[in-house]
Amino acid sequence: SVTFIVSPKEITIEITSSTTFVYDSLEKEITYSLGNDIPEGVSVSVTGENKGTVVGNYSAVFTITGNANYKGSKTVNWSITKATPTYTAPTGLQATYLDKLGSVSLPEGWAWVDTNPNTTVGAAGNRTHQATYTPADTNNYNTVTIGLVVEVAKKEYTPTVAGTAASATYGDKLSSVTLEGEDSYGKWIWANSNDYVGNVGLNSHEIVFDLNDKNNYFVASASTASVTVNALDITVTITSIGGTYNGTITAASAQPVGFVVGFKPEVTLT
């Protein structure tokens, strides 16, 4: 007689689902297939975890059972990964030049990435800084880091010195009049340097502070400086009386010399 050893036939268990899922609060399941021709009595038992809802790593073993003539096994390691949360990025964030970034408030759940207390918001204009959103459910959702725009306004500066003007002479323009008043941030200048100083006496003229850093600072208002205007000395040239000509006596005349163009004085000869 002949003795035969018959081994069970291998059945392939094919996994038909994904093995990596993204959390969405719904149950995920690992599914399988044995093909179209399943022998009589063959079934599959599952040990481990082939279903899951929350984020984590799972493992399941699928084993052929029910018919001793068939065998097969499949181990599946699978996972549910964290999802990206739904969020609304903060807008309309405002600050002033030299403000600390930490002083710019963010809505609940948001925080600046840079936690250095000395970090400033940056130069005036729209500046982008990294911020992180942390959802309430950190077990199933990732944190999100994005750039948030901070609208940085210029910082108001108040000059520490006043503008004082030297004296001038009638007919001078402001551009020729020395204006003193300067600190480390800038200096006073004439608002309308092409204007004349005005009539004799004490006259006020508008001055503005010329900042060294106009990009990040502003001076809220202009000021005035008083100019003491002195009289202009001019020379009068007199032409003497001439002789007679055809019985007509030539009259003497007087002509001013050294006057400012546009300010010619009248001279009366008596």
Side-chain angles (χ1 to χ4, degrees), residues 4 6 24 55 122 124 166 183 212 224 230 244-245 251 256 261 268:
F4 294 94
V6 180
D24 62 3
V55 168
D183 62 20
N212 298 328
T224 59
N230 299 312
T244 61
Y245 178 73
V261 175
T268 301

Side-chain angles (χ1 to χ4, degrees), residues 154-263:
K154 293 182 179 182
K155 185 177 181 64
E156 182 178 357
Y157 177 69
T158 301
T160 59
V161 294
T164 57
S167 60
T169 301
Y170 177 73
D172 286 348
K173 286 191 174 182
L174 291 172
S175 57
S176 67
V177 180
T178 301
L179 179 61
E180 297 182 346
E182 182 174 359
D183 62 20
S184 60
Y185 284 82
K187 63 182 179 179
W188 290 102
I189 61 173
W190 297 111
N192 302 289
S193 60
N194 204 44
D195 286 357
Y196 288 99
V197 293
N199 295 324
V200 172
L202 191 63
N203 299 315
S204 292
H205 294 276
E206 185 179 10
I207 58 176
V208 294
F209 197 77
D210 186 28
L211 288 160
N212 298 328
D213 184 359
K214 298 180 180 65
N215 293 325
N216 293 307
Y217 291 95
F218 75 98
V219 175
S221 60
S223 186
T224 59
S226 296
V227 180
T228 299
V229 181
N230 299 312
L232 174 65
D233 290 331
I234 62 173
T235 301
V236 178
T237 301
I238 300 177
T239 303
S240 62
I241 298 174
T244 61
Y245 178 73
N246 293 333
T248 301
I249 297 176
T250 303
S253 63
Q255 180 65 38
V257 178
F259 61 88
V260 178
V261 175
F263 295 93

Side-chain angles (χ1 to χ4, degrees), residues 16-38:
T16 56
S17 64
S18 173
T19 56
T20 302
F21 301 91
V22 177
Y23 174 78
D24 62 3
S25 76
L26 300 177
E27 184 180 70
K28 308 303 177 186
E29 181 180 1
I30 300 299
T31 57
Y32 63 91
S33 173
L34 299 180
N36 295 324
D37 298 322
I38 302 174

Side-chain angles (χ1 to χ4, degrees), residues 41-56:
V42 169
S43 62
V44 176
S45 66
V46 181
T47 57
E49 298 174 290
N50 70 322
K51 296 180 181 181
T53 303
V54 299
V55 168

